[in-house]
Amino acid sequence: MTTSSSSSKQNISLEEWEGKMAEVPIAKNDLNQLIMNYLIIEGYKDAAEKFSEESGLHSSVDLGSIDERMQIRVAVQSGDIKTAIERVNDLNPDLLDTDPRLYFHLQQQHLIELIRQGKAEEALEFAQDELAPHGEEHPELLRELEKTMALLAFDPSSRSPLAELLDFAHRQKTANELNAALLAAHSQPKEPKLPALLQLLAWTQEQLDEKATYPRINNIVNPVLEEQSGAKETA
């Protein structure tokens, strides 16, 4: 007789699950490092300084450099690409010279801002003088340039097929790419570790769902173990 997949799952009670979790050693310093990593990479300077004082954890990163990165990020998020590029060159003169794709994306964002402002003639001139040469040197970037130039065929105030380029999310994407490059240039991780751990948690629970009924975290904002139906009776 074939046993159904649901009845073959192992049932784990909340008490048993918490007992197993208690057996896993986690050093407080590791948790502090994880929090500090997030605060530094995401640019929360004041919070990082306060946390450093309270935890006694000393970062190898100059916390003062966070302000410079955040000023650059805010400039991109505000559409002030020229200021962002100037600040990058002051902070790290070689970065944009050694990363042509990043420089292209910054120039592309500036082109988008010109189109957003209705400066079609200036946008065309800028694309020809600044972006076209990059496309010749790096053919893979030509499609991105062509897609951006197609915005000129639509009213910036309308919802065109290319409207996502005009969304704030595109500025944020460019700002994140630049922030990651600045971090890497200073031998820092490009991404905080905490979001990756949360993704790992979600993936692990999905895998475990196929094999067992157990207390799971259903809301990462309020991470409480919730006992699932069928888990109260241990198999």
Side-chain angles (χ1 to χ4, degrees):
M1 180 177 178
T2 304
T3 305
S4 66
S5 59
S6 59
S7 61
S8 63
K9 285 185 178 181
Q10 181 181 2
N11 291 328
I12 306 174
S13 68
L14 178 60
E15 182 180 1
E16 182 181 359
W17 191 255
E18 290 179 335
K20 293 293 184 182
M21 289 178 60
E23 296 174 1
V24 180
I26 298 180
K28 184 175 182 180
N29 185 64
D30 291 341
L31 293 176
N32 289 342
Q33 291 279 5
L34 186 64
I35 295 170
M36 181 64 80
N37 167 266
Y38 179 82
L39 294 175
I40 289 175
I41 292 179
E42 290 300 317
Y44 298 108
K45 178 191 172 185
D46 292 343
E49 290 177 338
K50 185 67 174 178
F51 185 71
S52 177
E53 293 175 4
E54 293 179 351
S55 65
L57 183 66
H58 299 289
S59 172
S60 59
V61 177
D62 176 14
L63 297 183
S65 66
I66 295 177
D67 277 341
E68 296 170 327
R69 276 197 300 113
M70 290 306 100
Q71 288 171 2
I72 292 170
R73 172 185 276 184
V74 169
V76 176
Q77 291 172 333
S78 302
D80 189 356
I81 309 303
K82 285 188 175 181
T83 295
I85 291 175
E86 289 173 0
R87 289 185 179 277
V88 169
N89 287 334
D90 289 340
L91 183 62
N92 191 326
D94 298 326
L95 180 62
L96 299 181
D97 289 336
T98 57
D99 194 338
R101 178 177 291 275
L102 172 62
Y103 186 52
F104 174 86
H105 285 156
L106 286 170
Q107 297 285 58
Q108 177 194 31
Q109 189 63 50
H110 181 62
L111 175 61
I112 291 171
E113 301 305 332
L114 291 174
I115 295 173
R116 187 198 309 278
Q117 297 165 23
K119 300 178 179 179
E121 185 175 342
E122 187 176 344
L124 285 169
E125 183 177 349
F126 180 78
Q128 181 178 354
D129 294 344
E130 300 294 338
L131 287 170
H134 287 286
E136 293 175 0
E137 296 176 10
H138 306 279
E140 71 276 9
L141 299 177
L142 273 177
R143 186 173 180 181
E144 293 186 58
L145 175 56
E146 292 169 355
K147 183 178 179 180
T148 306
M149 293 302 296
L151 282 172
L152 289 168
F154 300 94
D155 182 345
S157 63
S158 67
R159 292 299 297 179
S160 75
L162 303 173
E164 73 273 6
L165 293 175
L166 295 170
D167 287 342
F168 176 78
H170 196 272
R171 285 181 179 175
Q172 186 64 47
K173 178 182 177 182
T174 305
N176 289 343
E177 181 183 359
L178 178 54
N179 187 57
L182 288 168
L183 287 165
H186 289 85
S187 302
Q188 299 177 40
K190 294 182 179 181
E191 301 287 342
K193 298 175 183 178
L194 186 57
L197 286 175
L198 293 176
Q199 290 175 329
L200 179 60
L201 169 65
W203 178 84
T204 302
Q205 288 193 152
E206 287 179 2
Q207 300 302 306
L208 191 56
D209 285 342
E210 300 177 2
K211 301 178 180 180
T213 303
Y214 62 97
R216 72 194 315 279
I217 294 175
N218 295 316
N219 183 356
I220 61 173
V221 177
N222 182 29
V224 177
L225 287 173
E226 298 181 13
E227 197 162 19
Q228 308 301 301
S229 176
K232 295 183 179 180
E233 296 180 4
T234 306

